Every structure is written in structure tokens, then in C-alpha cells.
Amino acid sequence: MIKLTMGPSEDGSRLDRLLRKRLPLLGLSAIYGLIRKGEVKVNGRKAKQDHRLKEGEVLEINVGESEFESEARPENSLAGLVKTDFFKRNFNILHEDQSILVCNKPAGLVVHSGSGHTHHDNLVDLATGYILSAQKSVPAGTETEAPVLMHRLDRDTSGVIMLAKNKGIVRALHASMRDGKFTKQYIAVCHNRPPEFEGTIKIGMARNDSKRGGMKMRIADSGPESITTYRILEYQNDRSRLEILIHTGKTHQIRVHMSHLKSPIIGDDRYGDQRTDEKLFASSALSKRLYLHAHKLTFPHPKTGKSITITAPVPKEFARALEK
């Protein structure tokens, strides 16, 4: 039996993904078998595979010591990623210092490894490769910590995303997040327009039980509350460009809220108007993508406490999306 207390670097991690990193000798079916049979517990209780771990929780895994890797360390081979065309196309630094790394994620890039993305084609591995390649002067034998993703963006959403360079920084950033000191501003281009020039959506959300089309969320009065505010920046040709702030971080929150207002985001293949999208993309040279972009991130720096804002330029196609 392995017992492990979750630290700041594990906070927010999905249970199944952490187990895949810490049980490298076991296959996926064996790991999910452990979860299904109740051989994996969090704070003494059987846990589901998508449970989001929290700092301080105690993880118990009924496996032998030889199966378990106590520390998740970056693979030195990842340093070679910086020489690839994939790295050059997808890794764009907006800000870097000794504590944090902030990138402009392109649409289509997943943020971490998962089903279908196991060959280092994700932001975390690209960032790890970058840090390893930049630390050639580090003394031999010195171990490099893998960067920790501080928040998430959907695969098809572009824009600002932050990683912490060490566990101490993770703790400070998580404290600021819990205190509501992070501001996340998005730009979206939607079909139609919301009913008001500006407004607040405050409504419950829950996971959709349907397995079709991948994981989806739905409006549910009994679900955890989700809060989004929006403001219309421009409206023409039955399309609107919105400035959006999120005050909670539910999965697919903006996409669900805009669909709820009958103003689905252009290119949203889960919650959007696919028939109208098909007509739009077929009649124009507009790029096929989700028209949602994480534009600005404002937060207190974990070392200095000074408020800083990191901006990712809005893609040019967002302006073209309002044209006929």
C-alpha cells in the first residue's frame, strides 16, 4: 500500500492522469482497474478517475512499492523538442522570469497529455523541453522540476496560459487564485448577440451524462454555480464580438453560457450552431476554429506581489469573422 499526501504541484490534477505518471510500469487498463475496484482512495474513500486532487488530500494506492514512482520528474529527452517544427509552430512565450512562464497557446494544442495525446504534442511537454534546453549550465546531477500548469484552456481555445517553474511558486499562485486575485478576460465572436449590451450569467452547471460527442456540460439548477460577465464590443452581420470575464472556472463555462444565451461561439462543435458554422466557413476564407481567445490575464506576481497583466494579441481572423 502506497500512501501519499498531495502537495501544491498535484493540486488540481486529475486522479487518473497522476496515476499514469506515478505508475509507469502499469498499463492503462490496469490503472483503471485499480480505480474501478476501489484500490485507489482519496482521504479514505473510493475515488472516481476524474477526481480533481487538492493539496493536503491523502492518496492511497493498493500497489507494491516497486510499481510506484514517488517523484514525477521531467524526461531529459524532452529537451530535444525545441529543435522540432512542432515546437516552433506551437510554443510562443509572452512572459518569462525565474518564477513563471506565460505562453500564447494556439488553437488546437492540448495543454497536457491524455487520451490520444501521448507523444509530447502538448503544452506542458513543450514547456518542459524548453526549460531543460535552457538549463545547460546547471551542474551535473541537479534535477529540474517540471513546470506546473496553473490553469487550463480547452484544446480549441487560444491565448494566455501560465505555468509555474517550481512547487513553491505553485503554492503562492494557488493562494492568489483562491483569494480571487486572478482576472481572466476572453474575447469571443458569436452568432447573433446576447439579449443585453452587457450582463452577468449566474447559473448552475453539471456534467452531461451522455457519452456521445465527448464530455459535455449542461445547465443544471442543482449544479455548482458558474458566473460569467460579458460586454458587447461590436455587432454586425448577425455576429457579435464580446469581451468576457469568468468568475468561476467550470469546464466549458463560456461555451455553455453563450449557447444558453442563444449566442453560440462561432466554430463550437459541441455547443454551437453547426449548420450556421458550415455555411459561414463554406462561403468565406475564414479559418475553421473555435472563436474564443484568452486575451488578458491579470494577477499578483508570486514573488513581488505587484499586479501584472499579460496580453495575448487577438488573432486577426476574429476581426474578419464579423465581415460578410
Side-chain angles (χ1 to χ4, degrees), residues 261-288:
L261 293 182
K262 309 301 182 185
S263 301
I265 299 172
I266 292 176
D268 191 340
D269 59 2
R270 293 198 185 191
Y271 308 97
D273 185 338
Q274 295 184 30
R275 184 170 299 178
T276 303
D277 280 339
E278 288 174 2
K279 292 180 180 178
L280 174 62
F281 293 135
S283 63
S284 68
L286 205 59
S287 302
K288 291 184 178 180

Side-chain angles (χ1 to χ4, degrees), residues 182-197:
F182 270 59
T183 300
K184 300 175 183 177
Q185 182 202 90
Y186 292 75
I187 299 294
V189 184
C190 303
H191 294 294
N192 312 317
R193 56 176 291 173
E196 305 292 339
F197 173 76

Side-chain angles (χ1 to χ4, degrees), residues 185 197-199 229-234 241-244:
Q185 182 202 90
F197 173 76
E198 58 183 24
T229 57
Y230 70 87
R231 180 168 66 95
I232 299 175
L233 299 176
E234 186 178 1
R241 181 167 59 91
L242 308 179
E243 176 186 274
I244 297 171

Side-chain angles (χ1 to χ4, degrees), residues 1-6 10 15 17-26 31 34 40 53 59-73:
M1 173 71 75
I2 299 293
K3 184 178 288 189
L4 182 69
T5 300
M6 297 295 96
E10 289 88 19
L15 176 63
R17 290 176 183 143
L18 182 135
L19 291 176
R20 288 172 65 179
K21 291 180 180 179
R22 299 299 180 88
L23 299 171
L25 300 181
L26 293 184
I31 289 174
L34 288 173
V40 179
L53 294 160
L59 175 64
E60 297 177 73
I61 314 168
N62 191 17
V63 296
E65 294 279 351
S66 60
E67 303 280 358
F68 189 73
E69 186 172 300
S70 61
E71 189 75 25
R73 300 187 178 94

